[in-house]
Amino acid sequence: MSKRPTIALTLGRDLPDNPNDYRIAEAYNSALLDAGAVPVAIAPGLDHTAVQSVLDMVDGLLLPGGIDPHPRLFGETPHPTTNIDEELDELEIMVIAEAMRRRMPILGICRGSQILNVALGGSLIQHLEPGPIQHKQEAQLDITTHDLNLDPESRLGRLHPQTKLRINSLHHQAIGRVGPPLRVVGRSEDGVIEAIESIDASHWIVGVQYHPEWLRADGHDPLFEEFVARAQTHESVPAGGNNCFARPAD
């Protein structure tokens, strides 16, 4: 039997209510386990050497949902609605840099897609004003609330037989300027970016603004299955190799 791939998940604090606790939804764990992976959680406080040691032991990186990245990372001051976890930002910027250098498969979900875009030189829309689509739904996350128009030639598009998906939505921010290593592959009907991927066909990177871990009964398992399959075959760049990633200075 082949070795099961190990996936690192980043942990943020349970803000604002329980700042001394870390929080992650069990749905991420279930999705990875059912796809054949072994999830490993990593928390803020690690230095760069520790991050390197952790990524020496894993095969892929999942950046889950959470609160907002600090806007100074893309040269802006906080909007009144912006909530931040700077320790998580610091951890994820380091982890993304190492994962990029190692050409490790990366999946970003909701905040995860946003911090991925920011780390790779992009920006965010800090607050979406009310409009025809409710991007922060009141319904449970296992209920779909709007459509996603998907590029059929994208990695994500090839996983689905149709180019219009029904998705859930729990975000008040969105991707603005897209980081140079990435491209847009899905938008909601009001034009908000809902899916991104690497422009490098040989490096598997996908970011989605919605929460597929809650929509597995609606046909979203293939995303986790492909991510885990790519992690299964990943061959990491040795620690200390050339760093092909650098985030612009603040």
Side-chain angles (χ1 to χ4, degrees), residues 130-167:
I133 291 177
Q134 187 180 37
H135 286 282
K136 194 167 186 178
Q137 70 186 53
E138 296 178 0
Q140 296 179 166
L141 279 175
D142 58 354
I143 296 173
T144 59
T145 56
H146 71 81
D147 290 337
L148 159 64
N149 296 308
L150 195 58
D151 178 354
E153 299 303 317
S154 65
R155 293 176 178 88
L156 197 57
R158 289 190 289 271
L159 296 177
H160 296 280
Q162 69 278 17
T163 57
K164 182 171 285 189
L165 301 180
R166 290 293 293 174
I167 60 172

Side-chain angles (χ1 to χ4, degrees), residues 19-72:
N20 294 321
D21 296 336
Y22 292 115
R23 177 184 64 182
I24 192 165
E26 190 273 339
Y28 296 108
N29 193 62
S30 294
L32 291 174
L33 286 171
D34 290 348
V38 177
V40 175
I42 55 175
L46 302 181
D47 61 18
H48 185 247
T49 300
V51 165
Q52 288 183 317
S53 296
V54 171
L55 292 198
D56 282 343
M57 299 183 289
V58 303
D59 307 294
L61 171 64
L62 192 153
L63 302 162
I67 63 175
D68 309 323
H70 200 300
R72 73 159 163 258

